[in-house]
Amino acid sequence: MVPDTTTSPRTGRQELLTALGEIEQRVLWLSAATIDHANRVRPNPTGLKVGGHQASCASMVSIMTTLWFHELTADDRVSVKPHASPALHAVNHLLGELPAEALTTLRSFGGLQSYPSRTKDADPVDYSTGSVGIGATAPIWGALARRYVEGRFPGAGTGRQYALLGDAELDEGACWEAVQDPMVAGLGEVVWIVDLNRQSLDRVVPALSAERLAGMFEAAGWQVLTLKYGEQLTELFSRPGGEALRTRLDTMGNPEYQRLLRCTPAELRDRLPGTGSTREPLEGLIATLDDDALHSAVRNLGGHDLGALLDAYAAIDDTRPTVILAYTVKGRGLHSEGHPQNHSSLLTRDQLADLATRTGTDLDDPWRPLPADSAAARLCAERAGELRRPPVERITPPPVPTDFGRTPGGTGTTQQAFGRALLDLSRSAPEAAARVVTVSPDVSSSTNLGGWLNKVGVWSPTERVDWFADDAETILHWRENPTGQHVELGIAETNLVGLLGELGATWSRWGQPLLPIGIMYDPFVNRALEPWQFGIYAGGQSLLVGTPSGVTLAPEGGAHQSITTPSLGLEQPGCTTWEPAFAQDTEWCVLAALSLLGRPDGGSAYLRLSTRPVDQSLAAVPADPAARERRRRQAVAGAYGLRRAEGTPDVTLAAMGAMVPEALAAADRLASLGVAADVVCVTSPGLLFRATQARRGLDDAPQWILDQAFPADRAAPLVTLLDGHPHTLAFLGTVHNTPVTPLGVTHFGQSGALDEVYRHHGIDTESVVRAALDLTHRP
């Protein structure tokens, strides 16, 4: 137990605890009633399960009550575990942020969301949660993002970043990747409160050990506060037989303890003493307790003791992250408390009526407010004023140029072009470049970020000595200071996109827009997709760059050859993807992606780049300014005609990224065979798909790009080609309902020379020519 250090400036401690107790009971009731209304009161003609988690809310009620109604400041932010969302809505209702009628809309169309959502809930929500592990780690990255913003654009303030999570959530590897990252150990504003109820979805967790968890957190430099027993049990431990009671409870397995919660007092008197040396002294101690006291004592855990929770908050060390391991009972106060299958169980009507009686509410008037003259109501009103945040004044991001005005020549890669684009941005648009922050998982030098890093430096809360600054052979200068614009994490893609999402949300949290860019190997993008898409769902806007990519990484072998990433733009809401073929297209697409960031009408982007050297003259960038601008608009919109055959084409070759040289070579071969071929360079399959949907009235995206890249008077059978799964471009046949043969990669790659690997997958020039001849029915 932590020491009792809490005093209240508003009232005496006991009066405070009494008021908090009344609020605690009301939060318990409102969360249960909200879920009951969604399942049993609101009409449901389909009979489809609505769901909700009364027991998961109940285990968090004490923690949330003490936080919101005593501890939090307006600068603090809290991530609430997904299944406790009704408890969050109950809290915000008592604070006057949510009207009673909103509580009747849980899980209804347009109503309160199943899990807390920053972008969809009418309720104030600090962090979107719902994907286990991601909501827990979000406050870590939120703390780092706040520090970054405050250091460069003051106004983000201070405040703790809390995560309320269930103990089963700690099974997620994402939690431990974040906990042990070297960047995290100094984030003293981070506080995790673990609802240690020892249950998962279907069972009591048999071997959960708080001591083991504590050791893992301590090894990562975290402060650990453990709240195991409440005041009643602590007092019993001091009586004769008390040490035997403590020993019995400490050594008891989780399932046995949970079974005690389901026992009558008579059964408790038989089961609790056990069969060992503790039995006799325990029987003596238990004999001094009446049934109510015995029933209460066995469930008197620290996570439900309001005073113990207040003391724990007062003991937080703000120089390092803190975790509070709060022992709780899942379903505490409900008829289902402690039952191994109570995760999504619902109280019966009679059980709900009993809960109403015990919490001093009314089943027939479930949303009745607290008595206006009660201490609890006065505390709610007082805290509402203290927690009210002023409106965020949002700054418009500086304009991003659309074109640097130069045309790359020679031979180069799109990966190299990306690095040059960042340097050109710093020269051409320094105000926009000052908002750029790059993040990578220990692959900066291998993804062409070296020049950018040398220019802007690496971000660190404090300046650190660069011991290799005077080493003549050092090419990448690792200057760490608070003004740096690159954040380097360990090799954990989940951490990278978690931070990326929070850096991309600063425009909505504190009004300060950033232009965050995350760079990782494209083969590992799939590992990061879930947390990244959840960041997008939560309003985080960022640019994710996957490089190098595809089987074009020929010598690397199948382990490093991505297949499915090209179709992200078709499948990920809120994200535009580009896969440019040339350096000029890369520059245009990078600038277009950056212009989407940090604004209410903006969005995220994904850029897939290659290390294949390509002759840049193949891009045939127009010299005329008007024609150049037309090409730029087409490249950014999704595609452009790279080569038009004389007369009516027999076939169209639509290629993307690194495969465009093969398409051009195939067009030359086909011309020698008397087959006229157009070549279309596709830069964004997602934008083209949206345009085809809009043509059918299924989207509001612009359609003009289809008419310019695939004009109706040049409609012909299609061969599509990309270094990725062929389904990505297969839909292009629907533009004019023409036959289509999609070529791409459908199985794991092989190591080898580029021509060998392309031939193996059927994406080489020969394969394109054969496919075109088959489509045109040539002999």
Side-chain angles (χ1 to χ4, degrees):
M1 292 289 292
V2 295
D4 178 359
T5 57
T6 299
T7 59
S8 170
R10 295 181 290 273
T11 184
R13 181 176 174 89
Q14 190 52 53
E15 288 80 2
L16 171 64
L17 293 177
T18 299
L20 288 174
E22 292 178 31
I23 296 171
E24 174 190 34
Q25 291 300 296
R26 187 54 61 98
V27 174
L28 176 64
W29 164 256
L30 287 172
S31 59
T34 297
I35 296 168
D36 182 77
H37 188 280
N39 286 272
R40 293 210 172 97
V41 179
R42 193 169 63 227
N44 182 13
T46 66
L48 187 69
K49 175 187 174 184
V50 176
H53 303 85
Q54 291 173 330
S56 295
C57 290
S59 64
M60 289 293 296
V61 162
S62 308
I63 294 168
M64 295 178 70
T65 298
T66 50
L67 266 183
W68 266 269
F69 297 96
H70 182 271
E71 186 64 21
L72 294 181
T73 71
D75 282 338
D76 296 339
R77 299 290 189 274
V78 188
S79 170
V80 178
K81 74 173 188 178
H83 293 156
S85 65
L88 176 62
H89 302 321
V91 165
N92 283 328
H93 167 64
L94 293 174
L95 291 171
E97 298 285 355
L98 197 66
E101 55 267 24
L103 297 178
T104 67
T105 69
L106 179 71
R107 299 191 173 210
S108 67
F109 186 77
L112 296 175
Q113 299 299 295
S114 307
Y115 310 121
S117 172
R118 291 189 72 231
T119 56
K120 293 184 177 295
D121 264 319
D123 195 11
V125 171
D126 291 332
Y127 288 98
S128 295
T129 57
S131 189
V132 175
I134 294 174
T137 59
I140 289 177
W141 312 123
L144 204 155
R146 187 205 61 77
R147 286 199 182 197
Y148 183 91
V149 168
E150 181 64 18
R152 300 187 65 84
F153 312 104
T158 57
R160 288 175 178 165
Q161 305 287 324
Y162 290 88
L164 309 184
L165 61 153
D167 49 10
E169 202 162 358
L170 292 175
D171 289 345
E172 289 289 339
C175 291
W176 298 107
E177 287 182 359
V179 164
Q180 62 81 42
D181 192 277
M183 291 291 289
V184 173
L187 298 178
E189 62 268 48
V190 172
V191 179
W192 279 16
I193 305 177
V194 180
D195 172 15
L196 203 72
N197 58 52
R198 294 175 276 191
Q199 284 187 232
S200 61
L201 185 67
D202 300 316
R203 62 170 184 162
V204 177
V205 180
L208 178 67
S209 168
E211 291 77 13
R212 180 175 60 86
L213 293 176
M216 294 166 70
F217 278 104
E218 287 171 346
W222 288 50
Q223 178 192 23
V224 179
L225 302 174
T226 301
L227 300 182
K228 188 167 187 180
Y229 300 120
E231 182 179 3
Q232 183 184 5
L233 272 176
T234 302
E235 191 277 327
L236 286 177
F237 294 156
S238 66
R239 298 186 188 183
E243 279 303 315
L245 176 60
R246 182 193 291 271
T247 299
R248 173 82 169 112
L249 291 174
D250 282 346
T251 57
M252 185 181 294
N254 295 333
E256 183 182 4
Y257 171 76
Q258 296 283 113
R259 183 63 184 89
L260 293 181
L261 300 175
R262 310 293 300 167
C263 289
T264 65
E267 291 171 328
L268 277 174
R269 294 182 189 281
D270 178 59
R271 286 175 179 255
L272 181 56
T275 58
S277 60
T278 60
R279 185 169 185 85
E280 183 175 344
L282 265 179
E283 285 178 333
L285 176 60
I286 290 172
T288 67
L289 304 178
D290 62 27
D291 284 353
D292 288 343
L294 180 59
H295 181 271
S296 174
V298 79
R299 51 192 32 79
N300 180 230
L301 300 181
H304 299 302
D305 189 298
L306 302 178
L309 286 163
L310 296 183
D311 294 343
Y313 304 149
I316 291 172
D317 175 4
D318 286 320
T319 66
R320 54 180 174 150
T322 294
V323 60
I324 300 174
L325 301 175
Y327 280 76
T328 60
V329 173
K330 191 167 184 175
R332 182 178 181 266
L334 307 179
H335 284 262
S336 61
E337 69 176 4
H339 194 282
Q341 281 88 52
N342 66 6
H343 183 75
S344 57
S345 65
L346 296 172
L347 298 179
T348 67
R349 189 70 176 173
D350 289 343
Q351 290 170 346
L352 195 69
D354 178 64
L355 179 63
T357 300
R358 289 188 286 111
T359 56
T361 51
D362 187 344
L363 184 62
D364 296 322
D365 187 12
W367 323 120
R368 184 180 67 191
L370 290 163
D373 60 348
S374 67
R378 290 194 297 272
L379 180 56
C380 287
E382 184 179 349
R383 291 298 291 157
E386 293 172 351
L387 294 176
R388 192 160 293 121
R389 297 168 185 161
V392 174
E393 182 180 349
R394 292 175 180 167
I395 295 173
T396 302
V400 176
T402 58
D403 191 343
F404 293 134
R406 62 177 181 81
T407 304
T411 299
T413 74
T414 55
Q415 179 176 291
Q416 292 168 342
F418 166 71
R420 283 198 301 270
L422 290 183
L423 292 175
D424 286 343
L425 182 70
S426 66
R427 290 187 285 263
S428 302
E431 289 188 3
R435 298 274 171 174
V436 171
V437 52
T438 54
V439 187
S440 69
D442 199 30
V443 292
S444 303
S445 57
S446 58
T447 52
N448 277 90
L449 274 186
W452 169 257
L453 260 68
N454 287 343
K455 183 174 181 62
V456 303
V458 178
W459 181 82
S460 172
T462 58
E463 187 162 357
R464 297 175 180 173
V465 176
D466 179 6
W467 293 104
F468 286 84
D470 58 350
D471 188 324
E473 295 185 8
T474 297
I475 299 175
L476 182 65
H477 299 289
W478 206 258
R479 299 191 305 273
E480 297 179 87
N481 55 67
T483 63
Q485 289 181 247
H486 176 78
V487 182
E488 187 84 358
L489 299 175
I491 304 177
E493 285 77 12
T494 299
N495 285 352
L496 179 143
V497 295
L499 175 57
L500 205 59
E502 291 306 319
L503 290 168
T506 59
W507 66 273
S508 60
R509 290 197 196 282
W510 301 293
Q512 289 289 356
L514 297 176
L515 308 180
I517 304 173
I519 304 95
M520 66 173 64
Y521 283 172
D522 194 71
F524 308 138
V525 165
N526 283 333
R527 184 185 301 171
L529 272 184
E530 189 216 359
W532 189 53
Q533 74 179 8
F534 208 81
I536 294 174
Y537 172 75
Q541 299 172 0
S542 60
L543 168 58
L544 182 62
V545 179
T547 182
S549 63
V551 299
T552 299
L553 264 173
E556 293 274 359
H560 276 189
Q561 296 173 349
S562 53
I563 297 173
T564 61
T565 50
S567 63
L568 283 182
L570 304 177
E571 299 144 2
Q572 176 56 55
C575 173
T576 303
T577 66
W578 285 283
E579 184 170 345
F582 302 107
Q584 185 64 76
D585 298 348
T586 304
E587 173 195 303
W588 288 335
C589 293
V590 168
L591 296 176
L594 293 178
S595 71
L596 296 173
L597 305 180
R599 55 186 71 247
D601 60 345
S604 294
Y606 167 68
L607 205 63
R608 189 176 191 248
L609 304 179
S610 173
T611 49
R612 182 187 184 184
V614 172
D615 179 1
Q616 298 301 306
S617 67
L618 295 176
V621 179
D624 180 82
R628 178 188 177 96
E629 173 59 14
R630 182 173 184 265
R631 166 69 71 83
R632 186 199 67 80
R633 291 181 68 247
Q634 291 174 340
V636 168
Y640 57 88
L642 181 57
R643 183 182 296 180
R644 300 296 191 194
E646 292 186 10
T648 303
D650 299 305
V651 67
T652 297
L653 310 180
M656 188 165 73
M659 304 311 304
V660 169
E662 273 60 39
L664 291 170
D668 291 338
R669 288 270 301 276
L670 290 167
S672 69
L673 298 173
V675 178
D678 280 357
V679 178
V680 176
C681 180
V682 175
T683 53
S684 176
L687 290 177
L688 294 183
F689 181 75
R690 287 195 61 192
T692 62
Q693 292 290 86
R695 183 172 283 183
R696 297 173 175 84
L698 302 176
D699 203 309
D700 58 359
Q703 307 172 36
W704 62 267
I705 187 59
L706 297 179
D707 297 326
Q708 293 193 11
F710 301 95
D713 61 352
R714 301 190 70 81
L718 272 165
V719 176
T720 63
L721 178 67
L722 74 153
D723 185 356
H725 201 284
H727 81 85
T728 305
L729 298 179
F731 73 92
L732 289 176
T734 68
V735 174
H736 296 300
N737 293 320
T738 55
V740 59
T741 298
L743 301 181
V745 179
T746 57
H747 48 278
F748 291 118
Q750 300 286 336
S751 298
L754 197 61
D755 58 342
E756 294 173 319
V757 171
Y758 282 0
R759 191 179 312 116
H760 172 74
H761 291 282
I763 56 175
D764 59 330
T765 300
E766 293 281 341
S767 298
V768 178
V769 170
R770 284 196 300 270
L773 293 176
D774 288 342
L775 275 176
T776 56
H777 305 292
R778 297 302 174 99

